Amino acid sequence: MKHISSSDIIQMEQRSRARLINSLSGFKSANLVATKDNRGCSNLAIVSSVFHLGASPALMGMIIRPDGVPRDTLSNIKQTDSYTINHVSTLIYRRAHQTSARYDADVSEFKAVGLTEQYIEGIFAPFVEQSQLKFSLQLRQVTPLAINGTVLVIGEVEHIIVDQHSIKADGYLDIESLESVAISGLDSYHQTQRLDRLSYAKPDKPLSSLSVDGMSLSNQNKSHR
């Protein structure tokens, strides 16, 4: 086993250090954040730092780096209070990755990488038409983090667009069926394979495996006897 100390990390070449530390947190979701400024210019940026904050209200957070994700994203969100988050699938991951290039502010990444803007009445920001799971958010809070200059953006989910067959009876969303991909590090994309779906953990009850639809597999087997 290799032991890497804090002094070793500090002395690493910048890009190598970034790749290493970005890999430590494991697999992350791959999302395209779509925005539009007040002039009507759309922007698209790949983000791997989206995370769930709460279900009531339905809040999502994301971290925007000052020198990573294009600052147009944050500027547009502040201008309009509107943005969408669009899952990256196996069909579009290469085009999604290309949005990390530093395009000029007046260049729409949608056009640059060959993705399509999709608009829904009442929502200012565009969706990515090719995305299989997407949702719009209303900005609720922007918090600069003094420790490293990053920015925490919190939004409330307003509209969700997804294939109805991927939503199961108990509310579980089967994102694997939508071929959503994961990211490790800065540039490695992965397909997923479900190991199991487990029952709600209780101290006095053993775990059981659930079907994708949420039914206990042991009960499901009994019903077929």
Side-chain angles (χ1 to χ4, degrees):
M1 298 290 284
K2 185 177 180 64
H3 180 178
I4 303 173
S5 67
S6 58
S7 60
D8 294 328
I9 294 171
I10 292 171
Q11 294 172 28
M12 291 179 71
E13 187 273 327
Q14 181 182 359
R15 284 293 176 184
S16 296
R17 181 173 63 243
R19 292 189 182 97
L20 174 65
I21 302 304
N22 267 278
S23 299
L24 290 179
S25 59
F27 295 115
K28 299 165 285 189
S29 61
N31 298 284
L32 284 166
V33 178
T35 60
K36 188 171 68 171
D37 65 21
N38 286 328
R39 299 173 302 150
C41 183
S42 60
N43 179 268
L44 197 58
I46 189 163
V47 175
S48 62
S49 60
V50 173
F51 53 93
H52 162 81
L53 270 178
S56 184
L59 298 177
M60 289 285 174
M62 68 176 176
I63 299 294
I64 293 185
R65 300 189 304 273
D67 59 350
V69 176
R71 285 184 288 271
D72 300 327
T73 297
L74 181 58
S75 176
N76 292 351
I77 291 173
K78 286 181 174 179
Q79 282 182 39
T80 66
D81 290 341
S82 176
Y83 59 108
T84 69
I85 294 177
N86 307 262
H87 275 218
V88 175
S89 71
T90 56
L91 297 176
I92 62 171
Y93 76 93
R94 294 181 69 91
R95 284 175 283 176
H97 184 76
Q98 182 60 29
T99 66
S100 62
R102 294 179 181 273
Y103 294 100
D104 291 337
D106 59 351
V107 174
S108 171
E109 286 81 3
F110 278 96
K111 293 181 180 178
V113 306
L115 292 171
T116 309
E117 297 177 37
Q118 177 186 10
Y119 288 92
I120 293 177
E121 186 177 355
I123 302 173
F124 183 79
F127 293 91
V128 177
E129 185 177 273
Q130 291 86 348
S131 176
Q132 300 299 303
L133 169 56
K134 44 208 167 187
F135 47 98
S136 66
L137 301 102
Q138 183 76 15
L139 178 65
R140 289 292 177 251
Q141 186 172 312
V142 174
T143 304
L145 303 181
I147 193 168
N148 64 352
T150 57
V151 178
L152 169 61
V153 178
I154 300 173
E156 184 171 351
V157 178
E158 293 197 313
H159 299 274
I160 301 170
I161 302 173
V162 65
D163 187 328
Q164 64 179 5
H165 298 296
S166 66
I167 303 179
K168 305 309 174 183
D170 64 350
Y172 173 69
L173 183 55
D174 182 14
I175 60 174
E176 190 169 271
S177 69
L178 301 173
E179 298 188 20
S180 293
V181 301
I183 295 179
S184 65
L186 295 169
D187 51 21
S188 185
Y189 293 81
H190 307 262
Q191 289 180 275
T192 65
Q193 182 177 348
R194 185 183 296 105
L195 292 175
D196 208 346
R197 189 176 176 211
L198 298 174
S199 59
Y200 187 84
K202 296 182 179 180
D204 58 347
K205 185 177 180 181
L207 292 173
S208 62
S209 293
L210 303 176
S211 70
V212 175
D213 291 318
M215 183 176 180
S216 170
L217 292 181
S218 59
N219 292 336
Q220 191 177 55
N221 291 336
K222 289 177 183 178
S223 67
H224 291 305
R225 290 175 184 170

